[in-house]
Amino acid sequence: MAQPEQDPSLNPPPAATGQRARSPRRKLIAVVVLAALAAGGWYWAKHRAGQSADAAAGASAPAGRGAPGGRGGPGGPGGPGGMPRSPVVVSRVLQRDMPVVLNGLGNVTPVANVTVHVQVSGPMLRVLFKEGQMVKAGDVLAEIDPRPFQATLDQAVGTLARDRALLDNARLDQQRYRTLLAQDSVSKQQADTQDALVRQYEGTVKTDQGNVDSARLQLGYTRILAPVSGRIGLRQVDPGNIVSPSDTNGIALITQVAPIAVLYTIPEDNLPTVLRRLNAGEKLPVVAFDRQARNKLAEGELLTTDNQIDTTTGTVKLKAIFPNADGMLFPNQFVNVRTRVDTLQDATVIPVAAVQRGQQGTFVYVVDGNSQVKSQPVTLGPGDDNHVSVSKGLQPGQRVVVDGADRLKDGMTVETVDPAARAAELVPASQPRGRRHRREGASGASAGGASAGDASAGAAAGTGGAERRRRGGDGASGASAAAAAPHGGAAPARQ
């Protein structure tokens, strides 16, 4: 059967059908590209608007009232005559009692430092102390083999007993000879001979008694006793070794650490003040600090001074005594020593950092009520590490510069800065850069007007219209309107 002929226009070629199928996909890709371009243009327009607002706010800010560090604040042309206003830290001049303290460098020295030596030779049997322990005078530290010395003592005691018996017999004969001599029965020569024999035996007995005492003493030396109280050091001899008095190191070292002394030096110019206090019978308090002079170790009092001045250094030695009950001071330890020799009543006191030195001598920068600085010569008195007294040149209540004085000149107007407030201002600067930019952009948009707001509103309107048209069925045209809206809204920000 023959097939009816079909109209070619009703069945398009396959190529034409593929092109029509690809047409919606191309439109969708175009919509995505346009949307990305619109989003990029909107972000760029908002960023430009924030920068323009910041520039406008900086230009319109009143002189001298800008942010710290900006062109209108301290350091910018906000001072009189357009000169910078340098930020400085100030402190009030106080009136209070000021202790007069002398600083010195010294070493901790034990009151007693004894090397324990043996006094007889022999093998070491036992060591009865622990290294580093505290011992008392008379404690038994070690023992040497006592048997040879006990034998010597026994011999001396036997000899003494024999000679005493001979002496007693000689004395009895002496009495008989004297009786016979009185009766003229013996010659006087015999009586005198007997008297000499008695004296001879008496001498022998005394010698024997000395030998007994010596042997008993040598036997006692076999028990080695602590000569002083203190801390014993490391053991130098182990049990079993032969020891003798000629050993250089001995068996241990004992140092008396409670109380303990400190030897330190002060300049010879300060010696009259110290001697005046000591001769008056006053007790001068002394404080010992560690090597960095930060941690207080112990408190004591001055004991005495040396009897001569060291001509090579121009210093004199002082000796202070410390109870050292807690053992914080250690023999041969390096310490910083502070001795309070006087106290100034109602003295004018300023921080040490405020003192400047120049050709005219010592001076300070004083800040008046108009925030202007002026150099003021001062005469300094005693002080310590942080404060110094002023005997002439300042009055209590004045303000002096303690930081930032290297940039100052007479007559300059300064901006006084509170250190705590300045530290708080530095916190936002340490935050991430992107966060600061976002805050700057937001403040710039609010100060510069509604240009950035118009751009964001246009973008929102275009997006809303696209959504409504997409729901109505025309998604492609709605997306195109949304892509065109940000460009139109961003145009005023670029103008």
Side-chain angles (χ1 to χ4, degrees):
M1 181 182 295
Q3 295 291 335
E5 296 183 0
Q6 295 181 357
D7 188 358
S9 61
L10 298 178
N11 296 321
T17 304
Q19 292 177 356
R20 289 183 180 180
R22 287 194 298 268
S23 179
R25 185 181 302 172
R26 291 178 178 177
K27 289 181 179 180
L28 181 58
I29 293 175
V31 169
V32 173
V33 172
L34 290 177
L37 294 176
W42 173 79
Y43 177 78
W44 179 81
K46 183 177 179 180
H47 184 65
R48 283 290 303 271
Q51 291 182 344
S52 300
D54 289 344
S60 60
R65 298 185 62 182
R71 297 183 59 84
M83 296 299 292
R85 299 185 66 176
S86 298
V88 295
V89 180
V90 297
S91 177
R92 293 282 181 180
V93 180
L94 304 178
Q95 186 176 16
R96 62 178 178 84
D97 295 344
M98 183 67 188
V100 181
V101 178
L102 301 180
N103 296 324
L105 302 177
N107 290 300
V108 180
T109 303
V111 175
N113 197 18
V114 180
T115 301
V116 181
H117 287 273
V118 298
Q119 294 178 281
V120 293
S121 299
M124 181 74 70
L125 289 184
R126 294 187 298 170
V127 175
L128 304 177
F129 65 89
K130 294 182 180 180
E131 296 174 319
Q133 79 174 76
M134 299 296 296
V135 297
K136 295 181 179 180
D139 290 348
V140 180
L141 303 179
E143 287 186 1
I144 299 176
D145 187 3
R147 292 174 296 179
F149 303 95
Q150 183 66 47
T152 302
L153 176 61
D154 294 341
Q155 292 177 358
V157 171
T159 303
L160 175 62
R162 183 197 61 186
D163 292 340
R164 278 181 176 176
L166 294 176
L167 176 60
D168 292 340
N169 184 50
R171 285 176 177 174
L172 292 176
D173 291 343
Q174 183 184 26
Q175 294 294 332
R176 296 188 185 99
Y177 278 111
R178 288 179 179 178
T179 302
L180 295 174
L181 180 62
Q183 297 175 0
D184 198 16
S185 298
V186 295
S187 64
K188 189 175 185 306
Q189 181 180 2
Q190 291 178 334
D192 293 340
T193 302
Q194 188 63 34
D195 291 340
L197 183 61
V198 170
R199 289 192 297 270
Q200 179 182 352
Y201 283 143
E202 288 177 348
T204 302
V205 168
K206 287 183 179 181
T207 301
D208 294 340
Q209 184 64 48
N211 293 333
V212 170
D213 295 340
S214 176
R216 184 174 288 113
L217 183 61
Q218 298 297 314
L219 178 62
Y221 284 154
T222 60
R223 302 172 71 247
I224 304 170
L225 307 179
V228 294
S229 300
R231 187 191 305 276
I232 196 166
L234 302 179
R235 185 176 66 232
Q236 303 295 327
V237 178
D238 296 326
N241 288 282
I242 302 297
V243 295
S244 66
S246 60
D247 295 340
T248 304
N249 297 328
I251 65 171
L253 178 67
I254 299 178
T255 56
Q256 185 175 349
V257 295
I260 202 167
V262 173
L263 293 178
Y264 64 101
T265 59
I266 62 171
E268 60 178 327
D269 297 338
N270 298 324
L271 182 59
T273 304
V274 175
L275 290 178
R276 187 161 49 250
R277 298 289 181 179
L278 286 179
N279 294 336
E282 299 182 13
K283 295 183 178 180
L284 301 182
V286 180
V287 181
F289 291 82
D290 60 359
R291 181 180 295 271
Q292 289 77 22
R294 297 177 181 175
N295 301 320
K296 184 173 69 173
L297 301 178
E299 296 181 357
E301 63 181 30
L302 183 62
L303 184 62
T304 185
T305 64
D306 199 0
N307 58 358
Q308 58 184 352
I309 295 174
D310 189 348
T311 57
T312 59
T313 60
T315 58
V316 61
K317 289 183 179 179
L318 276 66
K319 186 176 184 179
I321 195 74
F322 294 83
N324 198 32
D326 54 357
M328 294 302 294
L329 295 180
F330 209 78
N332 297 330
Q333 181 181 6
F334 179 84
V335 292
N336 286 273
V337 184
R338 298 177 183 176
T339 307
R340 191 176 67 186
V341 296
D342 199 359
T343 301
L344 300 179
Q345 304 293 332
D346 298 330
T348 302
V349 179
I350 62 173
V352 175
V355 179
Q356 307 293 324
R357 288 173 173 81
Q359 296 180 354
Q360 69 274 26
T362 56
F363 66 96
V364 297
Y365 282 110
V366 180
V367 181
D368 58 15
N370 297 326
S371 297
Q372 292 185 347
V373 296
K374 178 184 177 182
S375 61
Q376 176 65 41
V378 293
T379 301
L380 303 179
D384 54 18
D385 293 341
N386 300 321
H387 296 84
V388 62
S389 62
V390 179
S391 57
K392 182 179 179 182
L394 291 176
Q395 296 295 329
Q398 290 183 292
R399 297 187 300 170
V400 294
V401 177
V402 296
D403 189 12
D406 53 343
R407 303 182 300 270
L408 300 182
K409 294 182 180 179
D410 285 349
M412 288 183 62
T413 302
V414 297
E415 185 75 18
T416 58
V417 178
D418 183 7
R422 183 172 61 177
E425 292 175 357
L426 295 178
V427 174
S430 62
Q431 294 180 357
R433 185 177 183 87
R435 188 176 301 176
R436 294 202 305 270
H437 282 323
R438 286 194 293 272
R439 288 202 309 271
E440 293 171 357
S443 61
S446 59
S451 58
D454 294 341
S456 59
T463 305
E467 180 65 21
R468 287 193 299 273
R469 283 189 288 272
R470 185 184 63 79
R471 289 180 181 178
D474 193 0
S477 60
S480 302
H487 289 284
R494 292 194 298 269
Q495 291 177 357

